[in-house]
Amino acid sequence: MYLLMTRPRAASERFVAQLSARTRSRVQVIYSPILEIKPLPVQVEAVGIQGLIFTSANAVNAAASLGVERGLPAYCVGPATTGTARAAGWDARMAGATAEELVAYLLKHRPISPLLHLRGEHSRGNVAERLTESGLTVQEQVVYQQRVLPLTPEAAAAAIGDAPVIAPLFSPRTARQFADIWSGSAPLWLAAISQATADPLNSLTCARLKIAREPTPKKMRKAVKKLVKHAMRVESGETTD
């Protein structure tokens, strides 16, 4: 069976490397990023800013490439983004697993503002607007763009084959793009990192759609592991719960 990784290549390779050896031995990995991340050649306006908000590792990497001040505290969504920010030199703290949790955290703790939300051109949650309306001044700046890509020839061939295709999706935007470009007849097994990511996938016919218990890489790895086991049972003629 195939494991179809649609995230940018580096992020996909990290995810696959952290799967168990047993899970990796059961799949053939296909890398087919459907979003290309490109930092924008912009000047980040950080004069007077008291802290940064990162809701994705892509924003951290873009900010690092743009030379954004490392002395500012960084409030991050999720362990992956937090870890990326710390590795890049920021005093980063995880302020929730989702944008909703980050907003609640910041409104509860109310750090010194203004803060600056560095984000991609497509972003969910209206973080800066909601926080500012609630009395915590937050500015925002787009530091990277996301360009949609088609499936690679290898992925397109797998889509029209007979072998199961297991596809983990990590964001609503990626899920929407995947739903738009998938037209295959192969048995499709989907893992979504959140309910918001699962919603655009309802238009697809799939053998199973599993939502991670928490929006973290660890829970997504567990979801993929379970899908691999279920798909193997179906392929061998066993029933699955």
Side-chain angles (χ1 to χ4, degrees), residues 96-183:
T98 65
E100 292 292 326
E101 291 181 5
L102 175 134
V103 168
Y105 175 96
L106 292 174
L107 290 179
K108 177 181 178 180
H109 295 278
R110 293 193 172 269
I112 300 173
S113 62
L115 305 176
L116 177 61
H117 180 200
L118 298 176
R119 63 175 183 85
E121 60 185 345
H122 300 283
S123 180
R124 291 173 57 87
N126 298 321
V127 170
E129 179 182 351
R130 291 168 60 195
L131 288 170
T132 298
E133 288 177 349
S134 298
L136 186 66
T137 303
V138 177
Q139 302 170 20
E140 64 179 351
Q141 185 172 357
V142 174
V143 292
Y144 69 92
Q145 64 180 182
Q146 301 137 299
R147 185 169 69 92
V148 297
L149 301 172
L151 291 175
T152 63
E154 184 183 9
I160 60 175
D162 298 323
V165 175
I166 296 171
L169 284 309
F170 293 84
S171 74
R173 179 166 169 76
T174 304
R176 288 192 295 272
Q177 172 67 359
F178 184 81
D180 286 343
I181 65 177
W182 179 268
S183 59

Side-chain angles (χ1 to χ4, degrees), residues 8 61 83 114 138 154 195 201 235:
N61 292 330
V138 177
E154 184 183 9
Q195 183 61 55
L201 303 172
E235 289 297 295

Side-chain angles (χ1 to χ4, degrees), residues 1-5 16 19 27-31 166-168 224:
M1 70 183 71
Y2 296 105
L3 176 63
L4 176 58
M5 298 300 303
V16 171
L19 291 171
V27 298
Q28 179 177 330
V29 181
I30 297 177
Y31 294 102
I166 296 171
V224 167

Side-chain angles (χ1 to χ4, degrees), residues 65-117:
S65 71
L66 294 169
V68 176
E69 170 62 46
R70 299 300 205 279
L72 295 171
Y75 304 95
C76 305
V77 169
T81 302
T82 307
T84 302
R86 286 175 181 161
W90 276 285
D91 175 18
R93 64 204 70 180
M94 180 171 159
T98 65
E100 292 292 326
E101 291 181 5
L102 175 134
V103 168
Y105 175 96
L106 292 174
L107 290 179
K108 177 181 178 180
H109 295 278
R110 293 193 172 269
I112 300 173
S113 62
L115 305 176
L116 177 61
H117 180 200

